[in-house]
């Protein structure tokens, strides 16, 4: 076994956007920080659409999460400005807003309910009739019955965000180990580092587990602190809007078609992301004909002109989901071990606030107020919330 020459104050396991933002903020706070991942900047952000949808993604029973989502959305403009400055890279952030539309009377009733819930929650959204929707987005289907204009739900390009975070980490002095963590090291009832697949042992005063949907699979985790996180598969398509067709859409457009969410996210560079399926399929990331068919069918009902566009990419990724769809942030029952995982369908949105919460925890030992409802101990047996079974992966976890 090789021992790394120097230990660090913080070791982050996992270099998706959540691990990267944790490491970047930790290093900015003066902590000697290391991060291990075979492919930093990979993970679900390679697939995600990048909607920053605090208001349009509001669901009944998720008011606690709403507070965190809004706190992160409010941070976004300053966060991307700081990240772009630190990395010298653009993130594709667009303050373009969102239009959620209804295609039939059932959809309209559903959207009316969402509007009422948004209003009760003090959120800004405006009801438009079908003609007003089409005036904003002329490519919408003629049958659109009405919609909600949400001016504050913007977007970012998750791939560029992840790439900028890798560079910002490197420039802030984070030591990147491009290898898989084989096992957490626990000594004297405390997390003390980790062992990489190549045998290198990394010592650290504090370890942050940010392994996305694989967080529950890390060897060496005592049973009591295994995070109840499971993978939720999502398939996504990427199309290209040729310059002659631009502007095809000016803002994110979404709808519920036959009970399934479909959204179209137009980037400034001509990319149009169409997503996403939601499937409980364990670690399967196969792109299926059925998934692609359903997305194209639903998107075509919403915006018929999409069938003219080149289809450039199909992909599937895994959302790391917790039992209440909210993240797990901060200390666990194992001293020295923290979690930053379970961000499910809002991980891109929650990146800025997660960085701030984790830096606060790592420097003070306490969760800041905004992060307190998301402490991992809400799922401990004494809290009365049962943890779900974590299914076995179909292939060697990375
Ligand atoms: C189809 C789809 C659409 C989405 N759309 C949106 C959206 O529009 N808006 C939004 O806000 N969010 C969206 N999300 C969610 C968002 O992408 C995720 O919540 C977020 O990317 C999770 O980031 P993460 O860093 O926690 O996990 P991941 O991205 O899964 O990264 C985990 C990392 O940990 C590494 N790792 C795991 N185990 C180990 C180990 N033992 N050793 C070393 N490294 C390890 C992996 O290699 C990986 O790089 C979407 C997700 C999907 C799949």
């Amino acid at each position: 076994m090789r021992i790394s020459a120097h230990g660090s104050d913080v070791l982050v396991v996992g270099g998706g956007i959540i691990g990267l933002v944790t490491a970047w903020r930790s290093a900015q706070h003066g902590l000697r920080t290391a991060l291990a991942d075979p492919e930093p900047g990979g993970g679900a952000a390679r697939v995600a659409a990048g909607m920053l949808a605090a208001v349009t993604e509001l669901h009944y029973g998720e008011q606690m999460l709403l507070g965190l989502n809004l706190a992160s959305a409010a941070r976004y403009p300053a966060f991307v400005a700081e990240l772009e400055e630190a990395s010298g890279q653009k993130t594709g952030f667009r303050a373009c807003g969102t239009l959620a539309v209804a295609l039939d009377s059932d959809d309209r009733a559903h959207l009316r309910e969402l509007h009422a819930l948004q209003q009760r929650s003090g959120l800004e959204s405006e009801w438009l009739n079908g003609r007003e929707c089409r005036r904003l987005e002329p490519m919408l289907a003629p049958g659109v019955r009405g919609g909600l204009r949400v001016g504050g739900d913007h977007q970012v390009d998750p791939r560029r965000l992840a790439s900028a975070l890798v560079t910002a980490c490197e420039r802030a002095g984070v030591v990147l180990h491009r290898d898989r963590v084989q096992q957490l090291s626990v000594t004297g009832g405390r997390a003390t580092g980790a062992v990489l697949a190549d045998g290198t042992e990394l010592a650290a005063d504090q370890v942050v587990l940010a392994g996305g949907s694989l967080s529950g699979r890390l060897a060496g985790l005592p049973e009591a602190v295994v995070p109840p996180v499971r993978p939720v598969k999502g398939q996504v398509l990427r199309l290209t809007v040729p310059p002659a067709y631009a502007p095809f859409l000016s803002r994110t457009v979404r709808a519920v078609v036959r009970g399934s969410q479909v959204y179209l996210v137009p980037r400034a560079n001509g990319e149009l992301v169409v997503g996403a399926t939601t499937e409980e399929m364990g670690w399967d990331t196969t792109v299926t004909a059925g998934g692609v068919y359903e997305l194209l069918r639903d998107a075509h009902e919403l915006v018929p002109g999409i069938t003219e566009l080149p289809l450039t990419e199909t992909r599937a990724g895994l959302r790391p989901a917790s039992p209440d769809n909210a993240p797990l942030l901060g200390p666990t029952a194992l001293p020295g071990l923290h979690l930053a995982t379970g961000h499910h369908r809002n991980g891109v949105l929650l990146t800025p606030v997660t960085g701030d919460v984790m830096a606060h925890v790592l420097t003070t030992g306490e969760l800041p107020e905004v992060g307190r409802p998301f402490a991992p101990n809400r799922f401990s047996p004494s809290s009365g919330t049962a943890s779900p079974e974590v299914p076995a992966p179909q292939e060697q976890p990375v």
Side-chain angles (χ1 to χ4, degrees), residues 13-19 36-45 47-52 179-182 210-215 218 232-236 263 276-277 317-320 340-350 398:
V13 177
I17 47 178
I18 296 303
D37 191 315
E39 198 195 340
V47 183
M51 293 180 296
L52 309 176
D179 198 0
R180 183 170 66 87
V181 170
Q182 178 103 332
S213 52
L214 286 164
S215 297
L218 184 63
V232 176
K233 178 180 174 183
Q235 301 188 48
V236 161
Y263 50 74
T277 64
L318 301 174
R319 306 172 183 93
T341 188
H343 291 69
H344 197 207
R345 57 177 193 271
N346 289 313
V348 182
L349 168 62
L350 289 171
V398 192

Side-chain angles (χ1 to χ4, degrees), residues 92-376:
F93 175 69
R94 276 186 85 190
C96 59
T98 294
L99 183 64
V101 301
L103 287 166
D104 61 26
S105 48
D106 283 354
D107 299 344
R108 192 167 52 184
H110 170 85
L111 218 51
R112 284 278 193 201
E113 274 189 41
L114 176 63
H115 189 214
L117 178 61
Q118 289 168 342
Q119 293 198 310
R120 283 201 300 282
S121 308
L123 303 172
E124 274 184 39
S125 63
E126 180 191 1
W127 184 263
L128 304 179
N129 64 31
R131 192 174 306 146
E132 290 167 327
C133 290
R134 280 190 301 281
R135 200 174 301 138
L136 282 182
E137 293 295 348
M139 296 304 284
L140 281 175
V144 163
R145 298 287 192 90
L148 278 178
R149 180 185 192 168
V150 181
D153 277 2
H154 302 314
Q155 60 146 307
V156 72
D157 184 335
R159 293 177 179 178
R160 299 175 84 182
L161 177 74
S163 165
L165 281 168
V166 172
T167 302
C169 279
E170 286 171 332
R171 290 185 176 179
V174 175
V175 179
L176 296 181
H177 298 275
R178 293 174 192 273
D179 198 0
R180 183 170 66 87
V181 170
Q182 178 103 332
Q183 174 148 11
L184 179 74
S185 306
V186 179
T187 316
R190 195 184 160 85
T192 52
V195 182
L196 298 179
D198 73 1
T200 304
E201 190 172 297
L202 304 173
D205 292 343
Q206 303 187 79
V207 178
V208 179
L209 178 51
S213 52
L214 286 164
S215 297
R217 308 289 308 173
L218 184 63
L221 279 175
E223 208 178 313
V225 298
V226 174
V229 175
R230 69 182 198 286
V232 176
K233 178 180 174 183
Q235 301 188 48
V236 161
L237 317 177
R238 282 176 164 78
L239 296 85
T240 304
V241 178
Y245 286 55
F248 189 77
L249 295 173
S250 307
R251 54 182 61 66
T252 297
V253 170
R254 53 189 299 163
V256 177
V257 182
R258 282 181 291 269
S260 302
Q261 292 275 356
V262 63
Y263 50 74
L264 292 88
V265 184
R267 305 236 194 275
N269 64 5
E271 183 177 85
L272 180 67
V273 184
V274 178
T277 64
T278 300
E279 305 166 65
E280 299 278 352
M281 298 285 290
W283 270 270
D284 171 48
T285 51
T286 313
V287 175
T288 63
V292 174
Y293 165 71
E294 283 168 24
L295 287 173
L296 283 176
R297 181 196 61 196
D298 295 350
H300 175 256
E301 276 194 36
L302 195 58
V303 179
I306 63 148
T307 47
E308 304 292 321
L309 304 179
L311 173 63
T312 39
E313 194 183 319
T314 58
R315 256 190 200 237
L318 301 174
R319 306 172 183 93
S322 75
D324 61 5
N325 295 333
L328 297 108
L329 303 174
T332 65
L334 179 68
L337 179 70
H338 302 272
L339 299 182
T341 188
H343 291 69
H344 197 207
R345 57 177 193 271
N346 289 313
V348 182
L349 168 62
L350 289 171
T351 296
V353 77
T354 298
D356 291 349
V357 166
M358 294 310 296
H360 193 276
V361 169
L362 291 166
T363 47
T364 68
E366 301 283 333
L367 274 167
E369 196 172 333
V370 68
R372 258 173 236 153
F374 306 96

